[in-house]
Amino acid sequence: QVQLVESGGGLVQPGGSLRLSCAASRIIFSIYQMGWYRQAPGKQREFVATITSGGSSNYAASVKGRFTISRDNAKNTVYLQMNSLEPEDTAVYYCNSLNGRSDFWGQGTQVTVSS
């Protein structure tokens, strides 16, 4: 059974930073595209960022310049560095791994941006 386990969420003040991690197991991590998505209360899940197996990244317009996605294939882990956080970034953040029709999700980690 594939496992994606997110960590690093929490409560942070506006303007602050957090780094999310997602540790993957039971997949050949290096061949998967990895991504982060988020879901705010009452809203649909939305794309945040992805990074391909080759290391190319893509970002939602709302986070570009503030968030950075990276991956460490030796540790089977993908990261999301979030800077200049805004209250609108409050959501449950989900990790995703994708390779063809193999599509897996983590359980999510809560990020709350509030003073």
Side-chain angles (χ1 to χ4, degrees), residues 29-34 51-56 71 73 98-99:
F29 182 82
S30 62
I31 68 172
Y32 276 76
Q33 173 177 288
M34 301 299 297
I51 185 166
T52 68
S53 58
S56 297
R71 65 191 295 161
N73 289 342
L98 179 66
N99 181 36

Side-chain angles (χ1 to χ4, degrees), residues 42-90:
K43 295 187 176 181
Q44 291 189 330
R45 190 173 298 188
E46 65 176 7
F47 162 75
V48 176
T50 54
I51 185 166
T52 68
S53 58
S56 297
S57 57
N58 191 29
Y59 297 92
S62 59
V63 307
K64 200 167 188 177
R66 301 188 298 121
F67 292 9
T68 302
I69 189 170
S70 61
R71 65 191 295 161
D72 185 338
N73 289 342
K75 295 183 178 180
N76 284 9
T77 301
V78 61
Y79 304 97
L80 186 68
Q81 177 66 43
M82 305 186 294
N83 299 328
S84 302
L85 282 161
E86 303 167 353
E88 293 73 24
D89 296 317
T90 295

Side-chain angles (χ1 to χ4, degrees), residues 22 33-37 49-51 69 78 94-98 105:
C22 171
Q33 173 177 288
M34 301 299 297
W36 289 95
Y37 294 75
T50 54
I51 185 166
I69 189 170
V78 61
Y94 296 92
C95 177
N96 172 258
S97 64
L98 179 66
W105 293 88

